[in-house]
Amino acid sequence: MVFRIFSQLFESRWVQVGLSSLLAIGAVSGITLMQRQRLQQRHLTVLPAQEQDVQEALYIKSLKYLPPNGFGFNNLIADWGFLRMLQYVGDVPAREVAGYGAAPAFFELISQRDPRFVESYLFASGTLSYELGMPEESIKVLDRGLAALDPTQHKGAHTLWTLKAMDQLLLLGDAAGASESYRMGAEWAAQSPDPEWRKDAPILQRTSEFLKTDPDSTTVRFWAWATVFAQAAATGNVKTQERSRSELLKLGAVEGQDKDGLTMFQPPAPSPSPTATVSPTPSVNPSPPN
């Protein structure tokens, strides 16, 4: 049963590294890569890393003095803050020295000025949860978006529930909370105006139900970490890729490459059935990725 459910999950666009669901943020991912190349090629790191952090903090603080309505330009303020955040996060040498101290303020600004900016939450979750180890801060930002989004109007709105569920399951150990978030994600996906997104509803519902019966499931944790790896690959987040890869290998996943040379993972082999007085249920091997 476990591996039959997983087979359906693995064959879905949610698990594989080349997830079609991540194509929705392809343009944003391209911006990230261009920003990183620009930083490397033009050596934009002029100030010491610590001074850059101070400068970014002052920049964000200055925007907080704008009125709540942003003179009618809140979307533009959020977009500009997002692009500046990409430069900040993309300056890898500086972040290795000074860390990501200004990142929470960036995402606070973006989510307050434009809480319906769906694509930005992928970066918020990846940076706050897996770079900074602040899943509670990530969930606070995600909750702000969930309060503002309408699943019947905003494509991909249900992905915020999925991001929240992964924070709860993988970093906070809250399987019950994750199950509820997956359930809500299924409800929102079913209401999506995009028929492709609606296909996620039964997958998320099964995941929610499965966590209720097996909260420590290796299968669901594999799927969740594989999704984190895919998201990190899409956004160019090498550090999070390394962490998720390590977690996948700890779970017993098998690393390989697909026909395009992209890193992919096969699920752990099923544990041997214990010797018991009752006949063990035969296990079903998961289908390999396409």
Side-chain angles (χ1 to χ4, degrees):
M1 180 64 177
V2 170
F3 295 100
R4 186 160 62 248
I5 292 174
F6 176 76
S7 176
Q8 294 171 327
L9 290 174
F10 198 89
E11 291 172 355
S12 78
R13 70 179 189 277
W14 276 90
V15 178
Q16 301 181 46
V17 171
L19 310 178
S20 61
S21 63
L22 292 175
L23 293 178
I25 61 162
V28 179
S29 303
I31 291 173
T32 306
L33 298 177
M34 288 189 290
Q35 292 289 349
R36 290 192 172 188
Q37 291 174 353
R38 183 181 172 195
L39 287 164
Q40 293 169 355
Q41 294 170 0
R42 299 188 182 182
H43 305 285
L44 294 182
T45 308
V46 177
L47 295 174
Q50 290 82 355
E51 291 186 29
Q52 285 186 47
D53 259 27
V54 173
Q55 185 182 65
E56 295 301 335
L58 290 173
Y59 164 75
I60 298 169
K61 185 177 180 180
S62 68
L63 293 179
K64 289 183 178 180
Y65 289 107
L66 293 173
N69 67 356
F71 300 109
F73 294 101
N74 270 337
N75 286 0
L76 184 60
I77 294 170
D79 290 347
W80 181 248
F82 181 70
L83 290 173
R84 186 140 179 168
M85 180 277 298
L86 290 181
Q87 280 195 331
Y88 174 81
V89 174
D91 191 349
V92 178
R95 301 287 67 75
E96 289 176 347
V97 173
Y100 293 78
F106 269 118
F107 292 115
E108 186 84 5
L109 168 71
I110 296 165
S111 63
Q112 285 182 340
R113 294 290 173 174
D114 187 5
R116 297 180 180 86
F117 189 173
V118 174
E119 294 83 356
S120 70
Y121 292 101
L122 180 64
F123 291 85
S125 178
T127 302
L128 297 176
S129 293
Y130 302 100
E131 290 282 4
L132 293 177
M134 299 170 63
E136 296 90 349
E137 189 69 22
S138 170
I139 288 173
K140 184 176 78 171
V141 171
L142 290 168
D143 282 344
R144 184 176 292 126
L146 290 169
L149 291 166
D150 182 342
T152 66
Q153 296 183 24
H154 302 111
K155 294 181 181 180
H158 70 286
T159 58
L160 274 68
W161 284 112
T162 306
L163 294 170
K164 181 175 179 177
M166 289 190 293
D167 284 345
Q168 292 169 312
L169 177 65
L170 301 179
L171 300 181
L172 297 176
D174 181 7
S179 176
E180 177 62 15
S181 292
Y182 280 127
R183 186 189 69 79
M184 290 298 299
E187 285 190 8
W188 279 36
Q191 301 175 63
S192 175
D194 186 336
E196 285 300 310
W197 286 121
R198 290 199 292 272
K199 293 178 182 179
D200 290 336
I203 299 168
L204 296 176
Q205 184 61 42
R206 285 196 297 270
T207 305
S208 172
E209 293 169 358
F210 192 71
L211 276 177
K212 291 178 182 178
T213 60
D214 186 4
D216 296 320
S217 169
T218 296
T219 300
V220 177
R221 290 178 187 276
F222 168 83
W223 170 60
W225 278 117
T227 305
V228 171
F229 183 91
Q231 293 168 344
T235 57
N237 190 329
V238 176
K239 186 176 178 180
T240 298
Q241 280 182 268
E242 292 173 351
R243 177 176 182 183
S244 52
R245 174 182 177 274
S246 174
E247 295 290 344
L248 284 163
L249 295 178
K250 286 180 186 177
L251 290 171
V254 179
E255 184 176 4
Q257 291 185 331
D258 65 12
K259 61 183 180 181
D260 298 318
L262 297 175
T263 300
M264 48 75 67
F265 296 91
Q266 292 191 40
S271 301
S273 300
T275 302
T277 56
V278 296
S279 299
T281 302
S283 60
V284 180
N285 290 326
S287 301
N290 294 330

